[in-house]
Amino acid sequence: MRARALSRAQRNVAPAAPAHVEYMAPPAGKLRRMMSRSLSSMFKSATVSPLDKWTATPISPDQFITQRQPILVARSREQWSNNDYVRNFIRLCKQNIVGDLGIKLQAKAKKSRGSLDTELNDALELAWSDFGKRGNCEVTGLLSWRALQELCVETAARDGEFILRKVYGADAGPMGFALQMIDPQRLSVRYENGRYDKSGNFVRQGIEFNRFGRPVAYHFGSTDEADSYYYSVNGRGFVRVPAEEIIHGYRQELVGQRRGLPWASTSLFRLHHLEGFESASVQNARASSTKLGFIKYRDGFGPEAEDDTNVADTINAEPLSWTELPEGAEIAEWNPTYPNGEYAVFAKSMLRGAAAGMGVTYPNLGCDLEGVSFSSIRQGTLDERDNWKTLQQWLIEQLVSPVFDAWLKVALLRGDIKVKGKAVLADKIAQCRNVSWQGRRWTWIDPRADVDAALNSIRGGLTSASQVIREMGRDPQEVFREIAEDLQQMKTAGIPNEIIELFINGVPTPKPAPKPDATEEVTA
């Protein structure tokens, strides 16, 4: 029987596999090529090409900080001193994280029955306010507590970290406790010791740790040989300060990170080149606007020139100037028309990228509200404010709370907190620690709509009046007290209740309907 010719479609169909098939692995080389093609198609950013210089080897946080932190700090300081946008970013940080009043204390001490101890809270807030005055909280006597917060934020944003030393006793000033600002660069990231002593402590990036990575001491570069903590290594002086005396604040972004990085680290490269681009554009614009005249002599006329004369050196590029060219010299094509319409587009694109790295909106960083709609600026502002609130909480945890705890111990022992003329005993330290911190808040973007929404939320049981007041940056107890005092003063001044209710409710209280006369009821 002749075999029937198969059609093309039938030839392309694979034969049915037998019930048991033994798998044959491809050669190792072919398998590696197959896996490489498969992985490269999944994650193209993981491919390694000799044509680019994209790093492909991760390094530890210690190596990263040790190698690059000094360079980043140096460049951040340079941009801070020369770049308007970096200075604006630092201003935004101080203005929104600290504000004009700083992080404010709201004491919440309670009595044994659970009610707020108003007298103790008032005394605690008053004593904290006295400590925060200029001349009390900082060893030089030049900074107030609000100014100190502002300087810490500026140092952290520019250098990546801030360092304070707690000072006690007579050297601290009138309060017996004060703070000393220390330049973070005195804590060298390149000062390391693999094994500091027999306890197992080690030094990394100027900080001494125990074997679990908890800071034990800080080794600052110093020339003060009179300091009791002073020592020298290879002719270089250091001061070893116990960690209990140091407040070291930075944003930890890597597991095992021991030192901070400038907040604008990812934006510095872009802003540096934008600064150079602007400088070149300005020079070109100045050249374009300068009207020059040139005197050219015919052959056989004009002064003789040396063979090595540089024509460019003879041109005086001043407005309305005339320049005499040497014999044989001619002006080549010269048409400095830049900057043109592309400049603004390019600069805006660069600033948008820098703003994203800094965590602020482009209109605020670039001071450019052109073409911004209400909805877009509202959404951007709300997102930016969430970032500022996060940084406020970071400042509270890294700076404000540690300083308050250290101050409270000294203030109670010294008797600086007084209720009705009597010093509060130190055994009430647990009650005094029951506090909350209120950061700066901002006015509403659409006041009428936002106030109506807040009132509806209060009346609907979705929030409280105290929470709304806190979102405005005020202390609810203080607001309620002011309202009560205002009402009492208005009544004392003889203002009728109808007018007072008009102030509070916006409309006068309706008068009750008159009762019908008894004789009229009988007649009816």
Side-chain angles (χ1 to χ4, degrees):
M1 186 176 180
R2 291 184 303 173
R4 188 173 57 181
L6 297 176
S7 65
R8 177 177 301 178
Q10 290 174 319
R11 289 197 303 269
N12 290 335
V13 176
H20 300 282
V21 178
E22 183 178 357
Y23 174 73
M24 298 296 294
K30 184 178 181 181
L31 180 60
R32 284 195 298 269
R33 290 193 296 271
M34 292 171 60
M35 293 180 64
S36 177
R37 287 195 297 268
S38 177
L39 291 175
S40 63
S41 63
M42 291 175 62
F43 298 102
K44 293 184 179 180
S45 60
T47 58
V48 179
S49 172
L51 300 178
D52 59 45
K53 298 181 180 180
W54 202 355
T55 181
T57 304
I59 60 177
S60 68
D62 280 347
Q63 291 176 306
F64 183 86
I65 298 295
T66 301
Q67 295 174 5
R68 301 178 183 178
Q69 193 255 17
I71 300 174
L72 287 173
V73 172
R75 292 177 176 176
S76 180
R77 289 186 174 187
E78 186 277 330
Q79 288 290 285
W80 168 80
S81 62
N82 294 304
N83 193 304
D84 297 326
Y85 297 114
V86 174
R87 292 196 70 88
N88 187 38
F89 169 66
I90 301 296
R91 179 189 65 81
L92 289 172
C93 290
K94 296 188 297 182
Q95 177 178 306
N96 289 280
I97 300 175
V98 179
D100 58 334
L101 299 176
I103 306 295
K104 296 185 296 183
L105 169 68
Q106 294 181 0
K108 303 285 186 179
K110 294 182 179 181
K111 299 179 180 179
S112 57
R113 296 182 178 180
S115 60
L116 289 174
D117 192 337
T118 304
E119 294 179 345
L120 177 58
N121 291 332
D122 291 344
L124 186 59
E125 292 177 0
L126 179 61
W128 176 252
S129 176
D130 289 340
F131 169 74
K133 292 180 180 179
R134 186 175 184 266
N136 293 339
C137 62
E138 193 259 340
V139 289
T140 66
L142 301 177
L143 299 175
S144 66
W145 174 232
R146 190 209 62 82
L148 196 61
Q149 295 176 60
E150 191 175 76
L151 185 57
C152 287
V153 169
E154 178 163 3
T155 305
R158 184 187 59 238
D159 300 343
E161 56 191 346
F162 66 83
I163 299 178
L164 295 171
R165 184 177 184 180
K166 304 172 190 175
V167 181
Y168 299 90
D171 294 335
M175 292 293 185
F177 169 73
L179 301 166
Q180 178 190 15
M181 285 288 296
I182 299 178
D183 182 6
Q185 291 307 296
R186 285 185 55 190
L187 194 66
S188 175
V189 297
R190 294 191 171 92
Y191 179 48
E192 298 187 352
N193 190 335
R195 189 177 180 84
Y196 183 72
D197 57 17
K198 296 181 180 180
S199 65
N201 293 356
F202 61 93
V203 179
R204 288 288 185 276
Q205 298 164 6
I207 307 175
E208 181 182 339
F209 300 90
N210 65 13
R211 63 191 184 92
F212 293 104
R214 188 181 186 89
V216 175
Y218 287 74
H219 297 254
F220 296 99
S222 176
T223 58
D224 185 7
E225 298 184 10
D227 196 303
S228 58
Y229 296 109
Y230 180 87
Y231 69 95
S232 63
V233 176
N234 297 326
R236 184 177 178 184
F238 292 92
V239 170
R240 182 184 182 273
V241 181
E244 293 81 8
E245 299 181 16
I246 297 297
I247 299 176
H248 183 200
Y250 63 95
R251 297 173 65 189
Q252 185 169 350
E253 300 172 292
L254 298 169
V255 177
Q257 181 178 345
R258 311 178 197 274
R259 301 289 298 272
L261 296 173
W263 293 0
S265 295
T266 59
S267 304
L268 292 175
F269 184 78
R270 191 187 304 266
L271 290 174
H272 172 68
H273 286 291
L274 178 59
E275 182 185 18
F277 175 75
E278 288 180 343
S279 178
S281 299
V282 169
Q283 296 298 326
N284 212 1
R286 290 184 60 184
S288 299
S289 62
T290 301
K291 303 299 181 182
L292 301 177
F294 298 96
I295 301 175
K296 181 180 179 181
Y297 295 97
R298 295 192 301 271
D299 293 342
F301 298 89
E304 295 183 359
E306 301 292 336
D307 293 338
D308 57 351
T309 301
N310 189 344
V311 178
D313 292 341
T314 65
I315 298 177
N316 182 23
E318 296 291 338
L320 302 179
S321 63
W322 288 83
T323 301
E324 184 176 311
L325 297 180
E327 184 179 2
E330 294 183 359
I331 296 296
E333 182 180 359
W334 183 66
N335 186 24
T337 59
Y338 200 83
N340 51 30
E342 297 178 356
Y343 170 79
V345 177
F346 176 78
K348 181 178 290 188
S349 176
M350 295 286 282
L351 284 178
R352 281 175 175 168
M358 295 175 176
V360 298
T361 59
Y362 160 73
N364 285 339
L365 180 65
C367 301
D368 181 11
L369 297 176
E370 181 181 0
V372 176
S373 65
F374 176 79
S375 59
S376 63
I377 192 64
R378 178 185 174 90
Q379 180 60 37
T381 300
L382 292 175
D383 178 72
E384 184 178 304
R385 287 180 179 179
D386 286 340
N387 182 47
W388 295 133
K389 290 179 183 179
T390 302
L391 292 174
Q392 286 177 354
Q393 187 61 35
W394 166 83
L395 185 66
I396 291 171
E397 295 172 357
Q398 297 281 326
L399 172 66
V400 180
S401 290
V403 171
F404 176 78
D405 289 341
W407 165 83
L408 182 60
K409 297 175 184 177
V410 176
L412 287 173
L413 293 175
R414 284 168 46 94
D416 293 339
I417 305 174
K418 297 181 180 181
V419 175
K420 295 181 179 180
K422 296 182 179 180
V424 176
L425 299 179
D427 60 358
K428 290 192 175 182
I429 186 171
Q431 292 175 261
C432 294
R433 281 177 173 167
N434 189 12
V435 300
S436 64
W437 300 99
Q438 180 62 55
R440 176 242 161 112
R441 290 298 182 263
W442 306 266
T443 56
W444 282 303
I445 301 173
D446 186 0
R448 182 172 182 178
D450 291 336
V451 169
D452 291 342
L455 292 175
N456 290 332
S457 297
I458 294 173
R459 292 163 184 162
L462 302 177
T463 188
S464 64
S466 297
Q467 180 61 30
V468 173
I469 294 172
R470 278 191 288 267
E471 287 298 320
M472 298 175 64
R474 298 289 308 277
D475 183 355
Q477 299 178 35
E478 181 181 349
V479 173
F480 296 151
R481 189 179 305 162
E482 289 178 357
I483 293 175
E485 292 175 354
D486 290 346
L487 291 175
Q488 185 60 42
Q489 291 178 9
M490 285 189 284
K491 291 179 180 180
T492 304
I495 299 177
N497 290 335
E498 294 80 4
I499 303 300
I500 296 176
E501 292 174 355
L502 178 62
F503 290 157
I504 300 300
N505 301 323
V507 294
T509 303
K511 296 181 179 180
K515 296 181 178 180
D517 190 27
T519 57
E520 293 180 359
E521 292 181 359
V522 173
T523 304

